[in-house]
Amino acid sequence: MVDTAVRLTEDDARAIVAQATLAPSIHNTQPWRWRFDADGLHLFADPERLLHVADPEGRQLLVSCGAALTFARLAARSRGLLPVVALGPLDDGAPPSADVPLATIAVADRRPPAPAEAELAAAMSNRHTDRRPFLTGERGRLGADDLAALRRAAEAESAWVRFVESADARVETSVLLSRADWQEAHDPAYTEELRHWSRTSPQARDGIPREAVVGGAATRQSEFVLRDFDVVGGLEPAGAAGSSEPAVERPGMEQPAVERLAVERPTVVAIGTDSDRPTDRLLAGGATGRVLLTATARGLAASPLGQVLDVSAIRELMRSATGGIGHVQMLLRLGRPDPDQPPLAATPRRPVEEILDIA
């Protein structure tokens, strides 16, 4: 039972929401709102930020909000607060509503954060979606301790993890990703929606910033197709980490053999739930957030492989690649970043005043 003598303050609420805004969201739409009152801090969906083409059911909207909820809980712990979270009520047959809270955070007690909680909270400001090439070969391989930590992170948020490891599963996943990517890339409505959320202005507060977009794959070999966000055009292709550039042919000179680019073979992580209710999608978002923070704290990089989840029929086919049990809610590509690459800039975020209402 929550101790009513321990309450969130307005300062607590503002600080928690400021950190929760750092959560990942589909196309950086940041589809959430918060309200603070005497009962605690309430999380709401923002249906106006729904991607009607890529996410018509609001599935990824709920996953995004679930990630923000986990970030908020960890932010509360970093302030020495012990949060209690009540989910819903969520309607299984209705899209997310702007009027019904997805969750409410209250405070049960004051208690210093555990070192692991403090580490995850500190990782929030360093976590970025990294679509650049990872290291290849042995240098890029994740260790058994990395995989175990990622699994524990998902299970701590009531979700499960499947690593796409066998050759058959990786081929199947690669084919499904390519099929979904082709289908979306050839949909004019999808392209227009992606263009709507692409940002070129440094003053942007949401959407996909130009700095986060990686150029085409002309000089990059990857086992899994990556979503092409370069709908504006003009970017240089991304080079392959840990590999040589192709030799440049010069007339009148004997040409050396062209060295093949090393193929990126990232660790692919499927995060899922046993059922597929709105609550499950929220929980899967929380697991995604915690997995990404765990990866960041361990010096790993990650980006989503979301195309395969956008198309409902293809999403169902992902079941066989992950053991045929439950529902895949998120697919992530993980690896070790190239140390020669510059650090990524922070992606834009809406200010707290825009998303937090004080009752």
Side-chain angles (χ1 to χ4, degrees), residues 19-357:
Q19 286 190 270
T21 63
L22 300 176
S25 60
I26 183 170
H27 294 5
N28 194 28
T29 50
Q30 303 169 51
W32 46 65
R33 295 185 304 105
W34 297 87
R35 189 183 71 211
F36 173 66
D37 59 24
D39 295 325
L41 189 58
H42 310 276
L43 171 63
F44 293 84
D46 188 346
E48 292 186 3
R49 292 177 167 265
L50 175 71
L51 299 176
H52 293 281
V53 179
D55 186 34
E57 300 176 4
R59 172 186 298 275
Q60 293 301 315
L61 183 150
L62 283 176
V63 170
S64 301
C65 287
L69 181 60
T70 285
F71 274 45
R73 284 175 35 236
L74 288 168
R77 291 298 297 123
S78 73
R79 294 177 66 83
L81 303 171
L82 189 63
V84 174
V85 177
L87 298 181
L90 302 179
D91 189 339
D92 287 358
S97 167
D99 303 316
V100 179
L102 301 175
T104 296
I105 301 176
V107 176
D109 201 354
R110 296 189 181 275
R111 187 178 304 167
E117 293 171 320
E119 182 180 53
L120 293 180
M124 291 182 195
S125 58
N126 296 322
R127 185 217 61 83
H128 305 295
T129 297
D130 195 342
R131 301 181 181 91
R132 299 175 299 183
F134 298 153
L135 293 178
T136 57
E138 287 300 319
R139 290 197 303 157
R141 197 178 307 280
L142 272 60
D145 55 336
D146 294 318
L147 302 182
L150 298 173
R151 186 184 301 278
R152 289 194 300 269
E155 292 174 351
E157 300 292 336
S158 301
W160 47 254
V161 151
R162 302 283 188 274
F163 295 104
V164 182
E165 295 177 306
S166 72
D168 287 346
R170 291 178 76 88
V171 168
E172 185 176 1
T173 299
S174 180
V175 169
L176 292 175
L177 270 167
S178 298
R179 178 177 169 185
D181 189 77
W182 187 95
Q183 185 169 327
E184 288 190 327
H186 288 78
D187 181 352
Y190 166 82
T191 303
E192 182 55 35
E193 183 175 69
L194 189 57
R195 183 176 289 109
H196 174 75
W197 285 98
S198 297
R199 303 289 185 259
T200 57
S201 170
Q203 282 75 45
R205 299 182 298 185
D206 60 8
I208 306 162
R210 201 71 182 137
E211 296 77 11
V213 178
V214 174
T219 59
R220 181 177 187 174
Q221 297 291 330
S222 181
E223 188 179 0
F224 300 96
V225 65
L226 279 77
R227 194 194 298 264
D228 185 4
F229 286 97
D230 190 18
V231 294
V232 177
L235 286 182
E236 292 295 325
S243 64
S244 301
E245 292 295 327
V248 177
E249 190 171 328
R250 295 179 176 85
M253 294 179 62
E254 183 178 347
Q255 300 303 316
V258 174
E259 183 175 343
R260 292 179 61 84
L261 294 173
V263 178
E264 294 177 70
R265 302 190 187 281
T267 297
V268 175
V269 179
I271 299 172
T273 51
D274 291 339
S275 55
D276 193 28
R277 303 162 300 172
T279 300
D280 296 300
R281 299 167 190 175
L282 203 63
L283 293 172
T288 298
R290 197 177 189 102
V291 164
L292 290 172
L293 290 176
T294 300
T296 300
R298 300 181 74 86
L300 307 176
S303 64
L305 298 170
Q307 310 97 303
V308 76
L309 304 174
D310 295 344
V311 183
S312 58
I314 298 177
R315 183 174 63 247
E316 286 300 311
L317 294 175
M318 270 301 297
R319 282 193 181 193
S320 62
T322 55
I325 299 174
H327 301 264
V328 178
Q329 306 288 1
M330 179 56 64
L331 198 68
L332 297 174
R333 155 189 174 268
L334 289 99
R336 299 194 183 280
D338 184 351
D340 295 331
Q341 291 285 340
L344 287 169
T347 50
R349 289 296 189 268
R350 294 195 287 162
V352 170
E353 292 73 21
E354 187 176 310
I355 59 175
L356 174 62
D357 295 324

